[in-house]
Amino acid sequence: MQITVNGNNKEIEPDMSIFQYLSKLQLDLAGVVVEINQKIIKKHEWDKIEIKNGDMLELISFVGGG
Amino acid sequence: MEDHLIIANKKFRSRFLLGTGKFKHKDELRRTILAAEAEIVTVALRRIDLEKNEDNILSYIPDNIILMTNTSGARNAAEAVRIARIAREAGYGNWVKIEVINDSKYLLPDNAETIKATQILAAEGFVVLPYMQPDLYAARALVEAGAAAVMPLGSLIGSNQGIKMETMIEILISEIKMVPIIVDAGIGRPSQAAYAMEMGADAVLINTAVATADNPVLMAAAFAKSIVAGRLAYLAKMANVNISAEASSPLTGFLRA
C-alpha cells in the first residue's frame, strides 16, 4: 500500500491503524499530532482509524522555537 | 508587595519568557529554563524527522511550565490558525504565540494577518499572544480581537540589536492598559532587557541571546537578574535626568574662611 508520510512516499502493510503504524515507527508519542489528508485525527481515534491507500499523513510534534 | 505578571487571569512571578530555539545542546535546555526561572516557554511545531530518532523536546522542559506554541512558518492568518489548532490537539494547553511572517530577510510580522488570526483563535478559546510590529492602531485592534497580551518587537528576530523601537513601544505602554505589553525579539543582552523593563514593559521574551551565548545557563541567570532589576527600577520611579550637574553633598562651608 502506498502512502505519503511527511511529504515522502512510503510503502506500508494494509489494514494498519494509525496507532499500529506509529508503534512500528517506535516514536515517543508525547506531543505528537497526526493529520490525514489535512484533517487532524484525535488521539482517541488512532486505534480505530485504518490508513488507506493514497493517504497523506503528517506526523507533527514540538521542536525548539522562539 | 505583590507584583505579579497577570496574563489571561493567571498570575506569574517571572517576567522572563524564554524561547527554546537554537540551543546547541538540548540537554542544556532544562538547566537554562531553571536558571531563567521562566514560567512560560515557547516551542514550535514541525514534522517529525523519521530518519533521526531524536529525543522529544518535551523531555527537556520541566513540569509545570506553560508551553506556548508559536505559529512560526505561517505566512498568513489561515496557516497560523491551522498551526494553533494542531498545537492544541497535542494536549499541552491552548497558549499560542501568533507569528505570521512572510518576509525572510527581516522576519517582520504581518500585523493585519496577525489581527485576523487573533480574532479567530481568541473566539475558539485560545490564550493568544500576538507578535507584532509596534503600531498603536494594530495593538488596539489586537486587544479588541481578544489578545491576552501584545508582543511588540524590540528589534529584528535573532539580531541582538536591542531595543530599536523604543519610542513606539513607549507609546504602546502608555496607551494600552488592558493587557500586558511583552517586548519580544532582538533583545541581545541583559542591559537591554533591563532597559525594556525600566520603560514599563510588563515582561520580555528572549531566545537567541540566551540560546546562542557561550554559556546559556549563566546567560539565563544574568537575564533573570536584569529583568528583576529593571522592574524594580520601574516600580521605584526613577529620578529625572538633569542637563547640568547637581552635587551629592551640600557645599563645604568650612573650607572657605
Side-chain angles (χ1 to χ4, degrees), chain A residues 20-37:
Chain A
Q20 282 170 322
Y21 181 56
L22 294 176
S23 307
K24 273 199 157 213
L25 293 173
Q26 296 184 309
L27 288 176
D28 176 356
L29 297 180
V32 170
V33 179
V34 177
E35 274 191 334
I36 297 187
N37 304 330

Side-chain angles (χ1 to χ4, degrees), chain B residues 118-119 138-147 178:
Chain B
T118 299
Q119 206 145 30
R140 284 187 179 140
L142 287 167
V143 174
E144 185 75 29
M178 287 179 59

Side-chain angles (χ1 to χ4, degrees), chain B residues 33-86:
Chain B
I33 294 170
L34 293 172
E37 295 181 65
E39 297 170 274
I40 303 167
V41 302
T42 52
V43 290
L45 275 179
R46 291 292 185 273
R47 284 170 162 172
I48 296 174
D49 189 335
L50 297 170
E51 307 304 312
K52 287 191 242 166
N53 207 347
E54 270 186 7
D55 287 330
N56 196 323
I57 197 174
L58 293 176
S59 54
Y60 297 106
I61 299 175
D63 294 330
N64 304 317
I65 298 267
I66 292 207
L67 272 190
M68 177 163 67
T69 307
N70 70 32
T71 65
S72 69
R75 295 160 296 180
N76 55 46
E79 289 180 353
V81 167
R82 180 170 166 218
I83 294 173
R85 287 172 180 158
I86 293 171

Side-chain angles (χ1 to χ4, degrees), chain B:
Chain B
M1 183 183 73
E2 269 199 16
D3 177 44
H4 289 114
L5 169 66
I6 300 174
I7 304 175
N9 295 321
K10 256 186 105 78
K11 285 188 187 174
F12 298 93
R13 277 169 292 108
S14 172
R15 294 172 180 276
F16 184 178
L17 285 72
L18 181 65
T20 59
K22 298 182 179 175
F23 279 80
K24 288 186 217 93
H25 310 286
K26 264 198 271 195
D27 51 359
E28 263 177 338
L29 185 52
R30 179 179 290 268
R31 285 184 296 132
T32 305
I33 294 170
L34 293 172
E37 295 181 65
E39 297 170 274
I40 303 167
V41 302
T42 52
V43 290
L45 275 179
R46 291 292 185 273
R47 284 170 162 172
I48 296 174
D49 189 335
L50 297 170
E51 307 304 312
K52 287 191 242 166
N53 207 347
E54 270 186 7
D55 287 330
N56 196 323
I57 197 174
L58 293 176
S59 54
Y60 297 106
I61 299 175
D63 294 330
N64 304 317
I65 298 267
I66 292 207
L67 272 190
M68 177 163 67
T69 307
N70 70 32
T71 65
S72 69
R75 295 160 296 180
N76 55 46
E79 289 180 353
V81 167
R82 180 170 166 218
I83 294 173
R85 287 172 180 158
I86 293 171
R88 179 151 71 177
E89 186 55 34
Y92 287 84
N94 62 356
W95 281 54
V96 61
K97 165 179 164 175
I98 305 205
E99 195 180 305
V100 179
I101 293 170
N102 71 72
D103 126 71
S104 56
K105 183 172 178 184
Y106 303 109
L107 299 181
L108 286 168
D110 183 326
N111 280 355
E113 291 296 302
T114 300
I115 292 163
K116 280 191 215 155
T118 299
Q119 206 145 30
I120 295 168
L121 293 172
E124 289 180 16
F126 285 86
V127 174
V128 181
L129 280 75
Y131 172 61
M132 52 106 59
Q133 292 191 54
D135 168 316
L136 181 58
Y137 300 151
R140 284 187 179 140
L142 287 167
V143 174
E144 185 75 29
V150 166
M151 306 216 289
L153 62 99
S155 59
L156 303 182
I157 291 173
S159 71
N160 293 327
Q161 289 176 20
I163 309 297
K164 292 295 188 190
M165 307 293 285
E166 47 252 76
T167 309
M168 304 312 287
I169 293 171
E170 278 169 343
I171 291 172
L172 294 191
I173 290 169
S174 174
E175 299 300 317
I176 304 285
K177 297 297 189 192
M178 287 179 59
V179 299
I181 306 286
I182 301 173
V183 177
D184 176 11
I187 293 176
R189 47 186 74 194
S191 50
Q192 293 160 356
Y195 184 51
M197 297 306 294
E198 284 166 16
M199 231 186 265
D202 294 283
V204 290
L205 201 163
I206 300 162
N207 189 165
T208 299
V210 171
T212 61
D214 236 45
N215 187 331
V217 179
L218 201 56
M219 188 54 82
F223 267 105
K225 289 182 190 304
S226 72
I227 290 161
V228 170
R231 179 63 180 175
L232 290 175
Y234 171 74
L235 292 175
K237 294 195 183 1
M238 291 161 283
N240 291 327
V241 175
N242 301 317
I243 307 171
S244 53
E246 284 190 7
S248 313
S249 311
L251 299 175
T252 44
F254 68 88
L255 282 179
R256 312 254 181 272

